[in-house]
Amino acid sequence: MSSVEPWLRGRETDVPAVGGAVLHALRLADEDLRKWCGNLSDTEINVRSAGTAPVAFHIRHLARSLDRLLTYAEGRSLSEGQTSRLRTELDPGATRDGLFAELTAAAGGWRGAGASTGEDESGRGANRGKKVAADYRGRIARPCG
């Protein structure tokens, strides 16, 4: 992990400035989570100290709320799976590896069909906002440079 913050490592020249800032912020959040929570055991990540939400909830919530936000940005409604996952963010028994895999998938591993084909589920051409949101989602995990 670099000691230089993502926004100082280079500008995202192929996206609008605001989108580049969002990408840098998400990369910084991912790096900080891995730095401060990456060595926690599965037990530690699920501890509810004094009734507070565990670290696992916060990582799940970050990943899942990002997924929901990008779904809305793409002009779509939440799927049944997204709604179901929303209700399980506080569930116990999370594993560190599972949480970070979910975070990576939400941040960078998903590309909507509309982004790669230029069409949405109905077959109509996707508008620029949908393409941009899907492109951001697919590029978050990619290193700057």
Side-chain angles (χ1 to χ4, degrees):
M1 178 180 348
S2 176
S3 62
V4 176
E5 291 195 8
W7 67 276
L8 291 172
R9 292 182 214 151
R11 186 175 180 283
E12 293 285 345
T13 58
D14 59 336
V15 296
V18 172
V22 170
L23 291 172
H24 291 305
L26 290 170
R27 283 194 189 108
L28 181 59
D30 180 69
E31 290 172 9
D32 281 349
L33 281 169
R34 290 176 193 281
K35 176 181 178 181
W36 297 108
C37 302
N39 292 325
L40 294 176
S41 69
D42 292 345
T43 300
E44 291 169 325
I45 219 159
N46 285 287
V47 167
R48 292 191 69 144
S49 179
T52 62
V55 170
F57 162 78
H58 294 286
I59 295 174
R60 275 187 189 134
H61 182 68
L62 180 61
R64 294 174 187 183
S65 62
L66 175 60
D67 180 56
R68 292 188 296 269
L69 178 66
L70 291 173
T71 298
Y72 295 137
E74 293 162 349
R76 298 183 296 123
S77 297
L78 296 182
S79 69
E80 273 186 46
Q82 287 171 306
T83 303
S84 176
R85 286 187 298 277
L86 173 62
R87 290 189 293 267
T88 63
E89 288 180 359
L90 257 174
D91 284 1
T95 65
R96 180 189 62 227
D97 292 343
L99 290 168
F100 281 106
E102 186 173 352
L103 183 62
T104 298
W110 184 91
R111 277 192 179 274
S116 60
T117 65
E119 296 181 352
D120 61 19
E121 296 79 24
S122 67
R124 294 186 302 265
N127 68 32
R128 184 169 185 264
K130 290 180 186 179
K131 288 182 185 180
V132 168
D135 184 54
Y136 287 175
R137 183 181 272 188
R139 294 162 26 97
I140 290 165
R142 189 189 69 179
C144 293

